[in-house]
Each structure stands twice: as C-alpha cells, then as structure tokens.
Amino acid sequence: MVALKLSFWICLAIVFYTYIGYGLLLYLLVWLKRLFGHHQEEPTLPPDDQLPEVTLMICAYNEEDIIQEKMENIRQIDYPREKFCIMWVTDGSSDNSNELLRQYPEVTLVYSPERRGKAAAMQHGLRENKAGYVVFTDANTMLNTNAIREIVRQFMKPNVSCVSGEKRVAARTDGQVAAEGEGLYWKYESTLKRWDSELYSAMGAAGELFAVRMTDYREAPSNALLDDFMMSMLIVKDGHRIAYTSEAYAMEYGSADMHEESKRKRRIAAGGLQSIWWLRSLMNPFKYPTISFLFVSHRVLRWSITPFALLALIPLNIALVALNSGAAYTVILLLQALFYTATLIGWWQAHTGRKSKLFYVPYYFMFMNGNVFRGISYLRTHRFSGTWEKARRG
C-alpha cells in the first residue's frame, strides 16, 4: 500500500511540475532576479553603416507553392540590402523550386540533388555563407519587417551567440482544432522561453526563426531530427546563451488537421528523445547547475518521463480507490474521469468540425503526450536519417 501511494504521488508531482509547477517556479525566480536589481538594459542598435552582414537562410524541399509569397515577405524586411544576403538551400527538390528562385536576382541558390535532410542542407548552405551572422527560417513562415534588426540587437547582449525568435501560429479558418491547439500551446511555450531567457538562457531554438553567430556555431549531426534544437543547445553547452525575443517573430498557419499535426508531433517527440541522449551531459547539476535545472524541467521531463507518469496515474488511482485508501483518491479519480471525458468530447468535436476550448484544450494536451509514444517508434525507424514527411499546413 505504501509503495502504491508513493508511486501515485510521485507520478502526480511529476505531471504537475512539468506543466504547471515549473512555470510558477520559473516566474518566481525571474521575479526575484528583477527584485534584486539584476535587470539588464536593452542595447541600442548602431547606425546602418555599422550593422553586421547577415545571411537569411531558407532550407527547402519542394516549396514551389510558397516561394512567391515568401520572397514578397523577405523583400519587406527592413535591413540594409548591401549587408543582407538571401540564401535558399534546396535539398533534393524535384519540383520547380530552383527555376522559380533563379528569377530573383537577389537570391543565392544552393542546390543539392540528393535529399539528405534539413541538418545536411544547413551544413551545405553554411559552407557557402560569408556573413558573420546567419538567420534561419522556414519557407512557409512569414517574418515581421523588423525581425532582422531585432535579432542583431539581441546579439549585442553579453555572451549571446544564438537568438530565438517567436513562433506564432494562425488558423486559416475558425474552428480549426489542430491550428488553434498548436497556437495555444505556443503561447504557453513562448512565455516559458521568455522567462528561461531572462533567468539565464532559452533552452533551444525553433527552426521557424533563429540565428547564430558564426564564430560560435556548432554543427548538428546530419541525422538530427531536431537540427535547430541541437544546433542551438550545442552553443549553450559551450557556455554561451540563447536570447529569446518576441519582437522578431515568424507567422505560419497551423497543420491542416490532427492527422497532419500528428506527423509533426511524433517527429518532434522522436527528435526530443534523440536530443536528450546526445545532450545528456547537460543534466549534470554539478557541471551545469542552472542549465541542468532549465533543461530537465523544460525539455527532458516533457519528452521522456512525464507522459509515462500521466499514463500511470490512471491504474494507480483506480487501485488506490479499490483498496479504500481515502476520500482524496476518490476525488482525484473523479477529476481524472472528468478530464478524460472532456478529452473524448474534444476528440469527437475535432472529427465533426465543432469547436469548444473547454474540450479541445484537454484533447490537444493528451494528443501531444500520446504522440511521445508514437515518437519512440518513429525514432527507431528514422534515427539514421534527418529527412521527414512534411506536414500539410491549413
């Protein structure tokens, strides 16, 4: 009985800490840091003639449908043109991407006839790069006009060698559960990233928009499923920081439906597990005291232990109620029953085109955790390759 109760409360504590407790603790630590005057002044950009050269790199695979819109967006970016290189790296594209890109005189086109994955494409593009800073973005994401200037400003902060912009997700139509669930998740995720950065460093960057200082760049393994995350965390491992800014953002539409979203989630989960193993030394609190706290709390638990703890709560709770362990366990079991009932209703609504935040939030939460288990299977079959099937956007 004691072992059963202990297991239950440990699992409950892990789930609570991962999704609620860590955010509360992180906010408290940031608040204390501000209270005791450890607030850094925001740097000011120098005149245009003193700004550094920047390469905007887009690694793409069969993106002919979005190239015109992306190039129109890039042309609106406010940065001195003589210091701004636009590089497209097409990785084994079999459509008309290369022909379309050759119509833009400002584009530097780097082409590989073999599809080897995004990490390999990045490495190919970086071999052709001459700028001191490289900003990575996806073909299907649109940047705000001031994004590059804001990213450069962040590099002026002490020990910053990587900058993560904000990912924003839009739904093309009202009631699109995949997009709205993803958008809500990224609002929560962006808040944690901002606090991580303010406390010490963001824990990884998302490929929609991030940048590196080339003198501190570290090459991610070519078979990395989360190339952007690995690249940025290797910079952290070397003792540098990732700054996070919401003033530079990338807007994209969410996945077309939950099936398409599942493609992304299981790949991300698989890449997360792969990254945890490669970055396992960062979990050493004696060598990396602050980083290990942030990394384990924000990344490791979510991608490994917590989904199993969440699943274990159901049989443990049922067993404790069956053994008459106390009214508290009965109340918690009823709350679990309500939560999973709401999840089922959310699942039903997602498949019937209906919408209610009360139900799609628990559904999307369980959907994310469920895809961790699918990610384990995905990793077994994709661990030697950095390529993946693209998720269709809404």
Side-chain angles (χ1 to χ4, degrees):
M1 176 72 80
V2 173
L4 203 60
K5 288 183 177 179
L6 184 61
S7 299
F8 174 81
W9 287 109
I10 289 174
C11 288
L12 186 61
I14 290 171
V15 173
F16 176 83
Y17 176 76
T18 302
Y19 292 108
I20 300 175
Y22 173 59
L24 295 174
L25 178 59
L26 186 61
Y27 175 76
L28 176 61
L29 292 173
V30 169
W31 179 79
L32 288 172
K33 185 177 180 180
R34 294 170 184 169
L35 183 67
F36 288 101
H38 298 287
H39 183 71
Q40 185 180 359
E41 292 295 325
E42 291 294 322
T44 302
L45 275 176
D48 283 6
D49 60 349
Q50 296 178 32
L51 288 173
E53 292 186 359
V54 174
T55 293
L56 179 67
M57 185 181 295
I58 306 102
C59 297
Y61 169 71
N62 287 354
E63 297 285 3
E64 63 179 6
D65 293 340
I66 200 69
I67 285 174
Q68 182 179 352
E69 183 181 355
K70 181 68 174 182
M71 286 304 301
E72 288 175 358
N73 173 251
I74 291 173
R75 284 176 166 177
Q76 294 173 9
I77 290 176
D78 177 23
Y79 202 78
R81 292 297 149 182
E82 67 276 9
K83 297 189 175 185
F84 187 41
C85 173
I86 304 164
M87 181 183 292
W88 283 76
V89 184
T90 56
D91 178 50
S93 292
S94 56
D95 62 359
N96 293 318
S97 293
N98 293 334
E99 288 74 14
L100 291 171
L101 288 168
R102 289 190 182 102
Q103 298 175 15
Y104 295 92
E106 68 268 42
V107 168
T108 299
L109 177 61
V110 179
Y111 171 61
S112 171
E114 179 187 358
R115 190 184 181 201
R116 295 181 297 162
K118 191 174 178 181
M122 283 180 170
Q123 292 164 17
H124 189 188
L126 289 173
R127 288 195 293 271
E128 304 297 324
N129 169 63
K130 296 179 176 60
Y133 298 87
V134 176
V135 178
F136 300 92
T137 185
D138 289 340
N140 64 337
T141 61
M142 303 301 148
L143 310 183
N144 60 307
T145 56
N146 205 42
I148 305 300
R149 288 182 181 272
E150 173 60 21
I151 285 170
V152 168
R153 191 173 67 83
Q154 293 296 319
F155 277 116
M156 296 170 64
K157 293 181 178 179
N159 204 29
V160 169
S161 293
C162 179
V163 177
S164 175
E166 182 167 283
K167 174 180 176 177
R168 299 183 182 180
V169 180
R172 195 178 292 274
T173 59
D174 188 47
Q176 202 173 0
V177 174
E180 292 179 353
E182 186 186 356
L184 191 65
Y185 164 77
W186 274 102
K187 287 178 182 178
Y188 167 73
E189 178 68 13
S190 297
T191 300
L192 292 183
K193 283 188 174 185
R194 184 171 67 252
W195 291 342
D196 282 344
S197 178
E198 189 171 349
L199 185 66
Y200 175 69
S201 169
M203 287 294 102
E208 286 77 13
L209 180 59
F210 78 106
V212 296
R213 189 196 306 272
M214 288 308 300
T215 53
D216 299 318
Y217 160 74
R218 287 285 304 275
E219 187 175 286
S222 60
N223 62 327
L225 294 171
L226 292 184
D227 42 83
D228 41 18
F229 180 77
M230 276 302 303
M231 186 190 298
S232 57
M233 287 303 293
L234 287 172
I235 289 173
V236 172
K237 188 177 180 180
D238 281 347
H240 305 290
R241 296 172 51 230
I242 303 172
Y244 178 81
T245 175
S246 59
E247 298 302 313
Y249 61 85
M251 180 71 75
E252 68 177 353
Y253 288 113
S255 299
D257 52 43
M258 297 305 285
H259 174 70
E260 295 297 318
E261 178 69 356
S262 182
K263 292 179 184 178
R264 294 182 58 258
K265 289 301 181 187
R266 65 176 180 259
R267 179 182 64 83
I268 290 170
L273 291 168
Q274 184 188 58
S275 302
I276 288 171
W277 177 250
W278 285 339
L279 297 168
R280 58 192 181 278
S281 61
L282 291 181
M283 291 185 274
N284 183 347
F286 301 102
K287 188 174 182 180
Y288 304 100
T290 305
I291 294 172
S292 62
F293 161 67
L294 295 171
F295 182 48
V296 171
S297 299
H298 193 165
R299 298 299 188 183
V300 176
L301 290 176
R302 191 184 301 180
W303 283 335
S304 59
I305 300 172
T306 302
F308 289 92
L310 183 65
L311 185 64
L313 280 174
I314 303 170
L316 287 171
N317 203 170
I318 292 173
L320 287 166
V321 170
L323 293 170
N324 296 317
S325 302
Y329 298 101
T330 302
V331 171
I332 294 173
L333 183 59
L334 288 172
L335 291 173
Q336 284 206 78
L338 286 172
F339 177 81
Y340 287 108
T341 299
T343 300
L344 287 172
I345 295 172
W347 171 84
W348 174 76
Q349 288 188 339
H351 288 77
T352 56
R354 303 188 182 187
K355 172 193 171 184
S356 169
K357 276 190 179 182
L358 180 64
F359 300 120
Y360 82 66
V361 169
Y363 168 54
Y364 194 82
F365 174 80
M366 290 306 301
F367 171 81
M368 288 194 306
N369 280 279
N371 273 286
V372 171
F373 297 100
R374 299 187 70 185
I376 294 171
S377 175
Y378 186 96
L379 181 59
R380 291 177 60 189
T381 57
H382 290 74
R383 64 184 182 275
F384 300 119
S385 172
T387 62
W388 69 89
E389 182 184 2
K390 290 195 302 180
R392 184 168 50 88
R393 291 289 175 172

